[in-house]
Amino acid sequence: MTIRVALHHKTAYHYDKPIQLAPHVFRLRPAAHSRTPVTAYSLKITPENHFISWQQDPFGNYLARVVFPEKSTELSIEVDLIAEMTVINPFDFFLEEYAENFPFTYPEQLLKELAPYLEIREGGPLLASWLAEVDGGQKAIVDFLVYLNQRVNQTVNYSIRMEAGVQTCEETLEKQLGSCRDSAWLLVQALRHMGLAARFVSGYLVQLTADIKSLDGPSGTDVDFTDLHAWAEVYIPGAGWIGLDPTSG
């Protein structure tokens, strides 16, 4: 039986006098390629007197471009959506034969299409040392992805970080501490250094209490909760984009 979850997200700013709001771009609508079915979605913006234009960026993400013609003492953004928590088997795919084992090389045309996701953005002695310890010998690609994901999880202790932005890989490795977005970015860069196309993903983490307590391991959360979350995706021919969550390993 599919579980439906209603999610409400509100961000609000209040000002002590009317101000002119600059044009804004909101990225708060689920991606069209999301595996989780979203059966209802609404976006409410205050002040109500505004002009909105929906667009898509080159990667297929929805953008709400909003212009405010009048001054206001408030800026409020509310998102409501209903998602179906459908059980998905993440291993339900058939790999292209050449990609069954790591390492492999993408075909020439696919390399061109994946170029933005293969760009190495960071280096540094700590990252180089960490990568040098990765077992890059030939193994089944799924086993390698699980291994690399777990290695990031074992390296970086989780912390809630309220500061804006993402730590560099060097910062995260030096502290061995970071939020979900810091672990995700480290995994993205590690995958790219290993020759695998990877991208950064953000969204929501929804965890529900189990109806029945586990008999042979942790039962999970004691209360239902939702939070913002970040993870990584890697492109494997035949499987497509595969999600990896280094925060939970």
Side-chain angles (χ1 to χ4, degrees):
M1 179 180 176
T2 299
I3 298 174
R4 290 185 176 181
V5 173
L7 189 147
H8 177 72
H9 178 152
K10 181 174 181 178
T11 301
Y13 302 90
H14 299 275
Y15 311 100
D16 56 7
K17 62 180 179 180
I19 65 166
Q20 183 62 57
L21 296 166
H24 279 60
V25 177
F26 298 108
R27 298 175 175 86
L28 286 171
R29 180 171 167 178
H33 55 264
S34 172
R35 283 189 176 185
T36 300
V38 177
T39 58
Y41 173 87
S42 69
L43 172 66
K44 179 182 177 182
I45 298 174
T46 303
E48 294 184 0
N49 184 17
H50 62 265
F51 301 97
I52 185 169
S53 174
W54 283 102
Q55 301 176 3
Q56 281 187 290
D57 68 12
F59 306 102
N61 298 304
Y62 288 110
L63 311 178
R65 295 187 174 273
V66 184
V67 175
F68 304 94
E70 299 176 353
K71 292 184 177 182
S72 176
T73 58
E74 178 185 6
L75 172 60
S76 173
I77 309 99
E78 292 185 68
V79 170
D80 285 284
L81 63 84
I82 296 176
E84 294 186 353
M85 304 295 286
T86 304
V87 176
I88 297 170
N89 178 3
F91 301 101
D92 184 17
F93 51 74
F94 294 96
L95 295 165
E96 295 289 355
E97 187 174 349
Y98 69 85
E100 290 180 351
N101 294 297
F102 177 85
F104 66 85
T105 302
Y106 295 108
E108 183 179 355
Q109 182 59 39
L110 195 53
L111 269 176
K112 294 178 181 178
E113 296 167 354
L114 293 173
Y117 309 106
L118 288 162
E119 181 183 0
I120 295 175
R121 299 283 298 274
E122 292 195 26
L126 293 179
L127 180 57
S129 176
W130 190 88
L131 290 170
E133 295 175 359
V134 171
D135 180 5
Q138 187 178 44
K139 58 175 63 68
I141 184 62
V142 172
D143 292 343
F144 177 75
L145 295 177
V146 170
Y147 157 72
L148 192 65
N149 189 49
Q150 290 181 338
R151 195 164 188 275
V152 173
N153 172 262
Q154 293 163 2
T155 299
V156 184
N157 294 303
Y158 176 72
S159 69
I160 297 175
R161 207 166 55 76
M162 303 304 293
E163 299 86 358
V166 181
Q167 292 178 170
T168 65
C169 295
E170 292 294 285
E171 288 179 288
T172 300
L173 290 171
E174 181 179 15
K175 299 175 181 177
Q176 295 188 358
L177 189 70
S179 66
C180 56
R181 61 189 185 274
D182 303 317
S183 292
W185 182 240
L186 173 59
L187 180 56
V188 167
Q189 289 303 301
L191 286 163
R192 293 182 184 181
H193 275 275
M194 305 301 290
L196 298 172
R199 64 188 183 186
F200 182 94
V201 189
S202 63
Y204 297 100
L205 172 67
V206 179
Q207 289 193 302
L208 307 176
T209 55
D211 294 331
I212 302 174
K213 294 293 184 181
S214 174
L215 298 177
D216 57 357
S219 296
T221 179
D222 294 326
V223 295
D224 296 345
F225 80 92
T226 303
D227 206 349
L228 295 171
H229 196 47
W231 59 98
E233 288 183 343
V234 59
Y235 190 86
I236 305 299
W241 289 105
I242 297 176
L244 300 169
D245 185 2
T247 302
S248 60

